[in-house]
Amino acid sequence: MDLEYVKQVGIGAAFKSGKILLSYLGNLSSIEKKGTIDLVTKADIESEKAIVDIINYRFPDHSILAEESGMSYSNPDFKWIIDPLDGTTNFAYNLGVFAVSIAFELKGEIVVGVVLNPCTGELFTAIKEQGAHLNSHPINVSAHKTVSDSLLVTGFPYNFTDNFTDIMTRFENCLKASMGVRRLGSAALDLCFVACGRFTGFWEQNLNPWDTAAGVLIAHEAGAHITDFSNNPFDINKKEILTTNHKIHKEMINLLKIG
Ligand code: IPD
Ligand code: CA
Ligand code: CA
């Protein structure tokens, strides 16, 4: 299969969707709620439709998992995983930290990832075993050897009250041990920022496959190590993710331990 072509289709869809998102930024007439603090906007829906239409046109027999419309089943060997707007809360508050995330899975393995921040024009891409790129330049994880030298990033799930104590304990441990912890509000960008060395580590719990599918390939291809909090291999259906530059992984596993 021509993965370069698949990537180009993903990039085209991401830019089309990015244009739609920008047309709504600061210009939303209504915002709906999926949960108490889980928002969905017209921009999410239209952005997703634009991506799905492009994929269906180019690859009519491919399956698609998209956040807002769910799963559309076709050939199971070819599956696209889409978050049309990762960072909806930021978007709804006119904060330019959000992304379009598009991944392609071939026979159960993610082989192409595309993440675009429409506000900055930063485009992160990866093809399996071909490295990761930011605006066509190769990127790599940071070289920091210790957590104390590292800037970290995390996120809080919408249902954070269900796990509040564990989430806060992990946050406190990492904050005390590191150079600082940021909470940007877009898991796809968090992963890409580990990939290009801005952050040395990222952890979060309760993410969904569309939040991480593209970003984990980009991070992996940039040299990141990705596991759950118990150091078991990560897959996009798992509810815990720890992504680091390898060098601080063991230290982070210890900081994320509860009890
Ligand atoms: C959210 C973002 C956020 C993370 C949430 C996700 P959405 O995605 O990735 O950083 O903390 O858990 O649900 O809802 O904006 O697509
Ligand atoms: Ca998301
Ligand atoms: Ca989303």
Side-chain angles (χ1 to χ4, degrees), residues 199-212:
F199 297 123
T200 304
F202 163 63
W203 82 97
E204 186 160 350
Q205 52 203 86
N206 287 345
L207 289 170
N208 288 299
W210 46 81
D211 299 311
T212 55

Side-chain angles (χ1 to χ4, degrees), residues 95-139:
L95 186 63
V97 185
F98 56 85
V100 183
S101 173
I102 301 176
F104 176 69
E105 210 181 72
L106 179 62
K107 296 186 178 160
E109 193 176 17
I110 301 164
V111 291
V112 174
V114 172
V115 172
L116 172 71
N117 178 344
C119 288
T120 60
E122 286 193 323
L123 174 72
F124 295 88
T125 57
I127 296 180
K128 190 177 180 281
E129 283 165 14
Q130 294 184 28
H133 295 83
L134 165 52
N135 293 347
S136 302
H137 300 290
I139 50 173

Side-chain angles (χ1 to χ4, degrees), residues 143-165:
H144 295 300
K145 291 195 179 81
T146 61
V147 171
S148 60
D149 280 334
S150 298
L151 187 61
L152 306 175
V153 67
T154 189
F156 304 119
Y158 291 119
N159 62 344
F160 65 87
T161 45
D162 296 353
N163 271 308
F164 194 69
T165 311

